[in-house]
Amino acid sequence: MKNIIARSKKGITDDVIILSTHYDTLPMESDLFLGANDGGSSSGLLLELARVLSKRQWNFSIWFVFFDGEEAQKLWSPKDSLYGSRYFVERLKSRRQVSLIKAMILIDMIGDKNLILERDRSSTTWLMDLVWDSAEELGYSKHLAVAPKTIIDDHIPFLKAGIPAVDLIDYEFGKNNLYWHTPQDTIDKISVKSLLLVGKIVIRTIEKIALKN
């Protein structure tokens, strides 16, 4: 497994904001699994965010991190999942860089035509509030979940290390999650409008973080 990391030019300070996703797909022996939404949609968006955000000067550096091994290789468990993000956080610890990371924003499964972003209980409250405020300011309230839900994803190792982190994810892909982790996760299910919407929310959130620092 290999994580892929790109860094913007250094900011005015040594502070870092991490934008991330996982780029691996579910190992599926019996059928062809394309993973257009999980994790193709977020990988595509992160590439575009890297292009757009790297053109601007920030008072912090932005790291664009593509995690490998988010999916379980056999059966989901704390040890058989989140390989790339767990490894990445351990590297931050060994290099004494944890204190440099001011926020981690994770995007995952954000291509659904009927996009509803979860209000994740696991995410850092102030960072989740910034995401919600950004979405509402942009007129995207109808794409925000009403009831909160607890999500286990690549942001969890960061939270355990004391790093503020938030997960932007739509955890219902198709009615009753019909397409998730099936061969039906194909490009025809993906909405360009949903990608644009999430991209705008991420950019507005980063702008808000910049104002706080």
Side-chain angles (χ1 to χ4, degrees):
M1 297 180 185
K2 291 185 178 180
N3 292 334
I4 300 172
I5 306 165
R7 298 175 175 85
S8 69
K9 56 187 175 183
K10 191 175 183 300
I12 299 171
T13 69
D14 292 330
D15 294 346
V16 174
I17 304 295
I18 293 177
L19 297 186
S20 60
T21 184
H22 74 93
Y23 74 94
D24 63 308
T25 54
L26 180 72
M28 189 177 293
E29 295 180 1
S30 59
D31 291 289
L32 176 64
F33 181 67
L34 299 178
N37 191 37
D38 184 15
S41 62
S42 53
S43 296
L45 177 57
L46 190 56
L47 286 169
E48 179 64 4
L49 285 170
R51 185 187 70 83
V52 172
L53 292 171
S54 293
K55 293 180 178 181
R56 297 173 58 174
Q57 178 66 50
W58 304 92
N59 55 355
F60 41 71
S61 299
I62 301 178
W63 295 359
F64 305 92
V65 183
F66 298 79
F67 297 119
D68 200 354
E70 185 267 352
E71 302 286 3
Q73 302 306 292
K74 292 184 179 179
L75 183 64
W76 184 278
S77 70
K79 291 185 177 181
D80 188 9
S81 64
L82 312 182
Y83 291 92
S85 53
R86 287 190 287 121
Y87 174 80
F88 187 89
V89 170
E90 289 305 313
R91 294 277 286 184
L92 289 178
K93 291 178 181 178
S94 67
R95 295 176 177 181
R96 299 182 179 179
Q97 293 178 315
V98 169
S99 62
L100 299 180
I101 314 302
K102 301 308 174 184
M104 181 270 204
I105 300 174
L106 175 66
I107 52 176
D108 190 6
M109 294 175 60
I110 43 78
D112 193 349
K113 293 178 180 178
N114 183 30
L115 182 75
I116 301 293
L117 295 175
E118 304 292 353
R119 177 90 183 186
D120 172 39
R121 291 191 188 97
S122 301
S123 295
T124 303
T125 301
W126 69 261
L127 197 47
M128 190 88 256
D129 288 343
L130 286 188
V131 169
W132 238 241
D133 291 345
S134 297
E136 290 172 349
E137 289 172 6
L138 291 164
Y140 299 148
S141 296
K142 68 178 182 180
H143 297 284
L144 303 176
V146 176
K149 185 180 295 183
T150 300
I151 305 294
I152 306 299
D153 208 344
D154 278 316
H155 63 314
I156 297 298
F158 289 82
L159 292 168
K160 289 181 177 179
I163 297 170
V166 66
D167 191 7
L168 278 69
I169 185 171
D170 179 348
Y171 203 59
E172 185 172 9
F173 184 32
K175 188 176 181 180
N176 298 321
N177 225 5
L178 179 65
Y179 307 136
W180 181 60
H181 281 185
T182 74
Q184 299 304 310
D185 185 356
T186 50
I187 193 69
D188 58 295
K189 314 292 193 311
I190 304 303
S191 167
V192 172
K193 290 182 179 179
S194 294
L195 299 183
L196 178 61
L197 182 156
V198 176
K200 288 183 175 181
I201 292 173
V202 170
I203 292 173
R204 180 66 64 90
T205 301
I206 292 174
E207 291 171 344
K208 289 180 176 296
I209 294 173
L211 292 174
K212 286 173 64 70
N213 291 273

